[in-house]
Amino acid sequence: MKLLEDRIRKDGVVKEGNVLKVDSFLNHQMDVPFFYEMGKEFKRLFEGTPINKILTIEASGIGIAIIAGLHLNVPVVFAKKSQSSNISDQVYSTVIHSYTHNCDNNVVVSKQYLHADDHVLIIDDFLANGCALEGLIDLVHQANGTVEGIGIAVEKGFQEGGDRLRAKGYRVESLAIVDSMDAKTGEIVFRSSEA
Ligand code: 5GP
């Protein structure tokens, strides 16, 4: 999505440790009309797929997921990070390693909101090593639901998550794929896209 690539070029900041900061429009301050365009693109990409629910993870996936839910006209569920390791039998739970904070989180979804007849689109802001998505996929599978696809705003294509998930057969659609980035020069190279 050229709009997103241009915005990352303009406002993205490359940090040491392969972290791309996009706080000014995506991860801290949110540019809502811009989110609206990203949601529209997810709708275009997944049009015709039988999606009845979106699943994301708190916190930074929620904004994009909501707008995608608006376009696709489906409810949005977010997996909650649980402080307690004492998980009840009312929830599906999994452990997700956080790339940006380098810690493990217990993540839960109430059994009330994920079911065997759910056809789920998983949405997140970033895809790096794929741990967040693997955890969300695990939650859908615990409910015996179906993962219809994965929608990502920014994939870091030089990390392994996207390739691994596609090799497993998941449909992963990323609005922008960063092939390389350099913290010293600030240069960001995208995989070519037409949209
Ligand atoms: P993964 O689990 O794929 O390794 O990492 C994905 C999660 O880590 C995303 O939910 C996102 O919040 C965070 N993340 C990973 N890499 C980046 C990055 O370069 N920039 C930002 N802002 N978040 C990232």
Side-chain angles (χ1 to χ4, degrees):
M1 188 187 184
K2 190 170 178 313
L3 200 65
L4 179 57
E5 293 177 6
D6 289 347
R7 189 66 182 266
I8 293 169
R9 267 196 204 95
K10 181 169 156 283
D11 293 330
V13 179
V14 184
K15 297 282 191 188
E16 294 292 345
N18 280 332
V19 171
L20 177 62
K21 293 288 264 184
V22 285
D23 282 3
S24 67
F25 66 97
L26 202 150
N27 282 142
H28 195 6
Q29 174 169 257
M30 290 177 279
D31 181 336
V32 180
F34 187 77
F35 274 37
Y36 189 86
E37 293 306 315
M38 291 197 288
K40 202 159 90 183
E41 182 64 2
F42 282 129
K43 175 169 181 180
R44 187 185 73 78
L45 289 165
F46 288 101
E47 191 102 76
T49 309
I51 293 160
N52 73 328
K53 191 164 285 182
I54 288 175
L55 177 66
T56 188
I57 179 167
E58 68 174 348
S60 45
I62 295 175
I64 302 169
I66 286 175
I67 304 286
L70 183 68
H71 283 284
L72 289 162
N73 195 26
V74 295
V76 175
V77 176
F78 65 94
K80 295 187 173 195
K81 291 171 186 161
S82 158
Q83 303 300 339
S84 158
S85 52
N86 202 357
I87 303 294
S88 88
D89 60 1
Q90 307 297 306
V91 296
Y92 298 113
S93 79
T94 194
V95 175
I96 293 181
H97 182 76
S98 165
Y99 180 85
T100 36
H101 299 109
N102 194 24
C103 64
D104 287 341
N105 287 303
N106 281 317
V107 171
V108 303
V109 169
S110 166
K111 289 182 180 175
Q112 280 186 285
Y113 305 124
L114 262 188
H115 306 121
D117 57 0
D118 278 334
H119 291 259
V120 179
L121 173 63
I122 296 176
I123 295 267
D124 204 4
D125 60 340
F126 270 85
L127 168 54
N129 294 318
C131 301
L133 293 178
E134 300 268 11
L136 294 173
I137 290 168
D138 181 29
L139 292 171
V140 176
H141 286 167
Q142 286 181 44
N144 292 316
T146 307
V147 176
E148 291 290 348
I150 295 168
I152 297 293
V154 187
E155 175 176 343
K156 292 186 290 182
F158 53 88
Q159 292 179 271
E160 66 189 21
D163 289 345
R164 192 176 68 248
L165 289 162
R166 290 184 184 96
K168 285 184 178 176
Y170 292 104
R171 178 176 172 201
V172 182
E173 298 284 358
S174 300
L175 302 186
I177 302 182
V178 175
D179 263 342
S180 67
M181 56 189 204
D182 188 326
K184 292 201 173 61
T185 61
E187 192 194 18
I188 302 170
V189 177
F190 293 96
R191 201 164 294 176
S192 55
S193 78
E194 285 96 51

